[in-house]
Amino acid sequence: MANNLWKSRLADYFKDLSKYLRYIFNDHLVLVMVFVVGALGFYYSQWLKTLDASFPVNWVMIVVLVLVLSLTQVNTLLKSADAVYLTVMETRMASYFKKSIIFSFFFQLPLVIVAFIVLLPMYQQVKPFAGSYILMLLVYFILLKAWNVLMWWHVYKQPVRTVGILMQWLGNIVAVSIVFLIPQWWSLLIGVVLTIAILWMTMKMSKPYYIKWETLIVKEEARLNRFYRFANMFTDVPHLKNTTKKRAWLNWCYSGIALVQKNTYSYLWRRAFIRTDEFSGLFVRLTLIGLVIIYFMSNATMAILLVLLFSYLTGFQMLPMIRLYENHPMRELYPVPMKLYRSSFVTLLRGIMAVQAIIFAVIITIVFPLNTAAWMIAILVTFYLFFTFVYVPSKIKKLVLGF
C-alpha cells in the first residue's frame, strides 16, 4: 500500500512539475538565462585572475557550502487530508517515508555539486588542491548532503526542534570548516566521525516520538507554494496560496490616499502589495541583488545590462498581481468603473519601478564616475519609460481582457 501510494504521489508530482516547467522554460526565458549565465561566467573568470593569497577564500567556501548544505528538506509529497486518513496507518508507512528521504537526497544533490564545481576554480586560484583531494572532497560533500537529509527527518520528528536544528548547523559549520582550514585527509575522517556522532544522538532523541504529520504537511505545502509562486510569474496557477502579513509599521504608505471613490483600487493595490509576501518580498530581493551587482561590478556596461535585467524581472513578475482579485466577489460590488481596476494597477507598478530605479540611480552615482553614471542612468530611465508606458499597458490588456 505504502509503495503504491508513493509511486502515485511521485507520478502526480512530476506531472504537475512538467506542466508548469513547460511555461517557465520557454524560448524567452532560456535566452535570458543563456545571456545571464554567459555574462556571469565571463565576469567570474576575469575576477578569478585578480585574486591573490590575501583573498579570504577559506571563509567564502565555508559560508557558501554551509548555506547550500543546510538548505535541506525531506520532500514528503504529503497532502492536508493525510493528517486524517494516514495517521492511523503510520506503522505501515515506513517504506513511503524511506523512499521520500532517498528521493529528497537525489533531488537536492545537484545544487551541492554545482556549488562545489563553481567555487572550486576560486579555491584553486588561491590555494591549489591535489586532484585526489578534490575527488575526496566531492564525495565528502555528497555524504554531508545525505547526512543533512537524515538529520532533517529526525529533527522534525521531535516536538521541540531547537536543539536538533542547532546541532545540524553546528555539524555543518565544523564539518565544512575543518576540511578547508586543515586540508589533510585525516580532517575528512574527523568530519565524518563528528557528523555520525551527531546523527546518532539526534536519532536517539527522536526515537520515542511519532511522526509529526501536521508539521510535515505544513512544510510540504510551503515548499510547493514557493514553486507555484515562481510558476505564477509565467502562467496562472490555481494551486497558489498567497500569504499576507499586517505590517502595521508600513501603514503610512497608504494612509495618505484620499478616501474618495476614484481611489478605491489605488488603496486596494497599494495595501495588497505591502501585505502580500509574494510581491513585496520579490521587490525587496531583486532590488537588493541589483544593488549588490552595481556595488561590486566595476564593468559599467555589464552592470547596467544586469540592472536592466533585474528591473525587467521586477516588473514582469509583478504582472500576475493583477489577477489577485480577479474572482473576488467584492470587486463586483464596488460602485467603481472597472477601467480603474486596470489603470490603478498600472499606476502602482509605475510607482514601484520608479522607486527601484531611483535606488539604482543613487547607488550608480556613488559607485561610478559622474560621466559614466550619467549615461547609465539615461539608459535606466529610458528602459523605465518604455517598460511602464508601452510594454505594461499592452500586457495588462491581454491579462485582463475580460474586464
Side-chain angles (χ1 to χ4, degrees):
M1 179 267 182
N3 289 333
N4 291 335
L5 180 62
W6 172 255
K7 290 178 183 178
S8 174
R9 290 283 173 87
L10 190 62
D12 290 343
Y13 175 68
F14 279 120
K15 182 181 178 180
D16 203 35
L17 202 64
S18 61
K19 179 175 70 175
Y20 292 114
L21 288 178
R22 285 200 302 270
Y23 293 102
I24 295 172
F25 291 104
N26 52 35
D27 295 339
H28 175 71
L29 183 66
V30 169
L31 183 64
V32 171
M33 288 179 64
V34 169
F35 169 77
V36 172
V37 172
L40 292 177
F42 172 78
Y43 186 79
Y44 183 57
S45 64
Q46 297 299 310
W47 176 69
L48 289 178
K49 297 175 183 177
T50 66
L51 301 182
D52 53 32
S54 64
F55 182 74
V57 68
N58 282 333
W59 298 109
V60 173
M61 297 287 285
I62 290 167
V63 170
V64 174
L65 288 172
V66 166
L67 290 175
V68 169
L69 287 167
S70 299
L71 289 174
T72 299
Q73 179 178 331
V74 174
N75 304 340
T76 58
L77 307 185
L78 292 176
K79 299 181 179 180
S80 56
D82 294 342
V84 177
Y85 296 106
L86 294 182
T87 51
V88 294
M89 304 175 63
E90 182 172 327
T91 55
R92 297 165 58 186
M93 293 289 290
S95 62
Y96 178 96
F97 290 116
K98 182 179 178 181
K99 290 180 186 297
S100 70
I101 291 171
I102 295 171
F103 167 71
S104 302
F105 166 69
F106 285 107
F107 193 73
Q108 299 168 28
L109 182 61
L111 179 61
V112 178
I113 296 175
V114 169
F116 180 77
I117 292 173
V118 169
L119 292 173
L120 188 60
M122 179 182 66
Y123 201 93
Q124 289 288 81
Q125 179 71 19
V126 180
K127 297 182 178 181
F129 275 145
S132 57
Y133 191 71
I134 292 174
L135 183 60
M136 286 191 292
L137 269 181
L138 180 59
V139 174
Y140 178 75
F141 286 119
I142 291 173
L143 292 175
L144 269 182
K145 185 59 185 181
W147 176 81
N148 273 275
V149 173
L150 290 171
M151 280 290 296
W152 192 95
W153 176 252
H154 289 286
V155 166
Y156 277 86
K157 278 184 68 179
Q158 302 171 31
V160 180
R161 293 175 285 274
T162 307
V163 174
I165 292 172
L166 288 175
M167 288 172 65
Q168 184 175 355
W169 275 95
L170 181 62
N172 278 322
I173 292 170
V174 175
V176 175
S177 299
I178 194 170
V179 297
F180 289 112
L181 299 179
I182 311 173
Q184 302 292 333
W185 67 268
W186 50 265
S187 65
L188 296 170
L189 185 60
I190 292 174
V192 169
V193 171
L194 173 68
T195 51
I196 289 175
I198 293 176
L199 179 60
W200 178 79
M201 286 189 293
T202 306
M203 291 173 67
K204 190 174 180 181
M205 290 167 61
S206 67
K207 191 175 181 180
Y209 301 108
Y210 292 103
I211 293 169
K212 301 296 180 287
W213 289 86
E214 292 81 3
T215 301
L216 294 181
I217 290 169
V218 168
K219 287 287 182 181
E220 183 65 15
E221 288 181 343
R223 182 185 71 86
L224 290 174
N225 212 38
R226 287 193 293 270
F227 171 72
Y228 290 143
R229 285 178 186 172
F230 181 68
N232 193 53
M233 302 169 193
F234 305 91
T235 186
D236 193 26
V237 181
H239 308 290
L240 185 62
K241 297 178 181 178
N242 289 311
T243 56
T244 58
K245 294 180 181 177
K246 189 173 182 180
R247 296 194 173 100
W249 59 279
L250 287 175
N251 284 350
W252 59 270
C253 292
Y254 42 79
S255 60
I257 299 176
L259 299 180
V260 295
Q261 192 178 50
K262 66 178 182 178
N263 291 338
T264 299
Y265 286 117
S266 297
Y267 185 85
L268 180 68
W269 284 127
R270 198 177 298 188
R271 194 178 181 94
F273 170 71
I274 290 171
R275 292 189 171 190
T276 306
D277 285 347
E278 178 187 355
F279 300 106
S280 57
L282 179 75
F283 170 77
V284 171
R285 287 192 298 272
L286 290 177
T287 303
L288 289 176
I289 293 171
L291 290 176
V292 171
I293 288 173
I294 296 171
Y295 187 80
F296 287 102
M297 191 166 285
S298 56
N299 187 313
T301 303
M302 193 67 69
I304 191 62
L305 287 175
L306 290 174
V307 165
L308 292 180
L309 174 63
F310 282 103
S311 296
Y312 168 78
L313 289 175
T314 301
F316 180 74
Q317 295 179 47
M318 288 290 175
L319 290 176
M321 184 179 171
I322 200 167
R323 294 186 176 134
L324 202 59
Y325 301 104
E326 194 171 33
N327 299 313
H328 200 289
M330 291 303 295
R331 184 174 58 80
E332 302 294 336
L333 297 177
Y334 287 158
V336 181
M338 282 311 302
K339 63 180 182 180
L340 286 177
Y341 183 86
R342 182 169 59 197
S343 61
S344 298
F345 177 79
V346 173
T347 301
L348 172 75
L349 189 55
R350 286 172 182 163
I352 292 170
M353 294 195 68
V355 170
Q356 187 185 63
I358 291 170
I359 294 172
F360 286 158
V362 169
I363 196 70
I364 285 172
T365 305
I366 294 172
V367 172
F368 292 96
L370 193 58
N371 58 338
T372 303
W375 67 259
M376 291 176 71
I377 293 172
I379 292 174
L380 182 61
V381 171
T382 303
F383 170 81
Y384 165 77
L385 293 174
F386 172 80
F387 187 86
T388 59
F389 286 89
V390 179
Y391 177 81
V392 168
S394 64
K395 191 72 174 175
I396 292 295
K397 287 179 182 178
K398 296 176 183 178
L399 290 173
V400 291
L401 192 61
F403 291 172

